[in-house]
Amino acid sequence: MLQTRKNRISMELPNKNQGTIKYNLHKLYLILAILLGTISAVVSPIFNEPDGPYHFEASAKIVGLVVDTSRYGESEVTSGMSGQSAAYLDGTHFEKYYLNQAYITSYKNIPRDISAKPGSFGWWGHLVPAAGIWVGYHIYPSLGVMTIFGRLLPLFIYSLAMFFIIKRLRRGKLTFTALMLSPVVISQFSSFSYDALSYLIVAAAIALAINIVDRNKIDTKSILELLLMSGVLYMGVKTNFKTIIAFYPLIVFAIFYTRYKEKRVLKRERLRGNLSEDDLITRVHKKSSVFGLKFLLIGSGVLASLAALILALQSYGGIIYVLKRFVFNLIRNLASSSLLSMFSSPYRTNQIPAWVTIAWFIVFAICLLSEEHFVKSKLISYGAGILFLANIAAVYFSFMVSGYVDSTTSTANQILGAISGVQGRYFTPLLLLLILFVGNKKFKVKVEMSNSIIVTVVGLVVVSNVILIINSLWTLISA
């Protein structure tokens, strides 16, 4: 009995002579994030992120340093950086953007509303870049210097915060590391976009859920953590990410229900003295997985959602008409694909090769399958999967009813029934929910984690981030 216990402990504790990289993924993340992010912040063209001029000006407004970008050929505060092309080609870019001092103006002179209500997610998301702009201005007041420091400060702060998130994470470390080093995330962390803060908060919220599910225990500390994180989600992220708040009560209920079933069956069977504790827990999950209360809740939720969807779509041609348009767009993609912007191509103008996106989907799937199976409740796993799909459906619906027209197509999304543009980046951090889906103990497919997988991840991270930077410069110069 003692020998068995010793063997069990030796299997659970990491061997310091084996798999060193596996147990230092948080350090690997920080090194690569700072290295690649710094290169991106310094080398990438000014205003290269989606809505780049807007995010810069909105950040600058917070510290009273709004720049008159019309003097640099950017007359509209929208996406785009083509105004810099001539300066790159004739060799005057450094002088124009880095040596010449910026002209500070009033935000009222900007041809777009760049105001954000203090305390809103837009204000919080621009706060750290704003501090970076302030530092850059006081080092040297040029647009280029302000831009570099406005990118570097959020990169360092967000990457350090992610380092601690991954370090404290109980399960899914490799998947977190890989996703948060993808070109989409690295480019957002080293930019002025408020999406960067949303990514960080969503990662922290899902990490908290994973740790609580892995402990399989709800106590006062867990409840307080969930309430605090719900408040942070409510104030600091985009609307679609706030749906994670609704996932927390499901986790609490599922854990309470699972532990209740375990205790009830354990008590009954112990009185009989027939089974060991491990056998009893296995029997509990077999019993509770068949026609239990969780299936009734899932079924009711699906039916209620379907009914609400049918009613909501009556004003837009009905559910059959909407599904026909959706299927047609899957067969012939008339709008730029959102899949490209989930991992590798956050900008509309990037010509990222398709193989990079394909490689990211494959490697990310391998990372998921190599993680430990730790989720006892099917309700939690199904809930995580449904939440991820529901977010995609919600964005699809918002595009369908908004009448948004993609400039790269000739038809409005109302006709196409497509999520157009680079909107895949709004789903990127939610991919972490799949750890809870694939991590169910009943999930049969498993890939053994090895150093070769980690090396493959690192290789893809470096190559794809370098490709994104090169493509950004290439697109600008050839514009």
Side-chain angles (χ1 to χ4, degrees), residues 106-312:
S106 169
Y107 74 93
K108 296 179 181 179
N109 297 327
I110 302 299
R112 180 174 176 178
D113 183 13
I114 58 173
S115 300
K117 183 179 179 182
S120 65
F121 91 90
W123 187 84
W124 286 113
H126 287 135
L127 190 59
V128 177
I133 289 176
W134 185 89
V135 172
Y137 178 81
H138 286 85
I139 291 176
Y140 188 79
S142 69
L143 178 61
V145 174
M146 293 165 71
T147 297
I148 287 179
F149 281 90
R151 290 171 172 175
L152 288 177
L153 187 60
L155 169 69
F156 292 154
I157 291 177
Y158 296 159
S159 297
L160 186 62
M162 187 57 61
F163 163 81
F164 287 110
I165 289 172
I166 296 175
K167 182 178 181 180
R168 295 190 60 189
L169 189 65
R170 296 170 65 95
R171 306 287 182 179
K173 287 179 180 285
L174 179 59
T175 303
F176 262 74
T177 301
L179 184 65
M180 303 315 289
L181 287 173
S182 66
V184 167
V185 178
I186 290 294
S187 62
Q188 295 297 313
F189 273 20
S190 56
S191 76
F192 297 97
S193 176
Y194 46 49
D195 290 334
L197 181 61
S198 288
Y199 285 10
L200 178 67
I201 293 174
V202 169
I206 296 176
L208 174 61
I210 289 172
N211 287 346
I212 290 176
V213 171
D214 183 59
R215 291 197 299 265
N216 194 37
K217 180 182 179 182
I218 299 295
D219 51 21
T220 303
K221 179 184 176 183
S222 301
I223 296 296
L224 291 176
E225 288 175 338
L226 291 174
L227 289 174
L228 177 61
M229 185 57 69
S230 296
V232 173
L233 284 166
Y234 184 79
M235 292 189 298
V237 301
K238 280 182 165 297
T239 304
N240 68 306
F241 295 144
K242 294 178 183 179
T243 54
I244 298 175
I245 298 173
F247 186 48
Y248 284 165
L250 180 68
I251 292 175
V252 174
F253 170 80
I255 292 177
F256 271 128
Y257 180 70
T258 300
R259 290 177 65 85
Y260 166 74
K261 293 287 290 185
E262 285 178 355
K263 290 179 180 179
R264 194 175 70 170
V265 176
L266 189 63
K267 182 178 180 180
R268 184 172 64 247
E269 296 296 340
R270 270 180 173 169
L271 291 174
R272 298 177 182 175
N274 296 329
L275 301 173
S276 66
E277 184 170 335
D278 289 341
D279 291 335
L280 288 174
I281 293 176
T282 301
R283 183 169 174 178
V284 168
H285 293 298
K286 285 184 178 180
K287 286 185 177 182
S288 61
S289 64
V290 182
F291 301 115
L293 179 58
K294 51 184 150 184
F295 289 96
L296 177 61
L297 290 173
I298 291 174
S300 301
V302 170
L303 290 176
S305 300
L306 183 60
L309 183 63
I310 292 174
L311 291 174

Side-chain angles (χ1 to χ4, degrees), residues 47-50 79-82 345-352 408 422 468 471-476 478-479:
F47 305 143
N48 71 319
E49 60 264 61
S79 292
M81 53 184 179
S82 58
S345 181
Y347 317 131
R348 185 190 304 276
T349 55
N350 294 138
Q351 301 298 321
I352 301 296
T408 62
V422 290
L468 175 61
N471 268 273
S472 298
L473 289 168
W474 196 336
T475 300
L476 177 60
S478 62

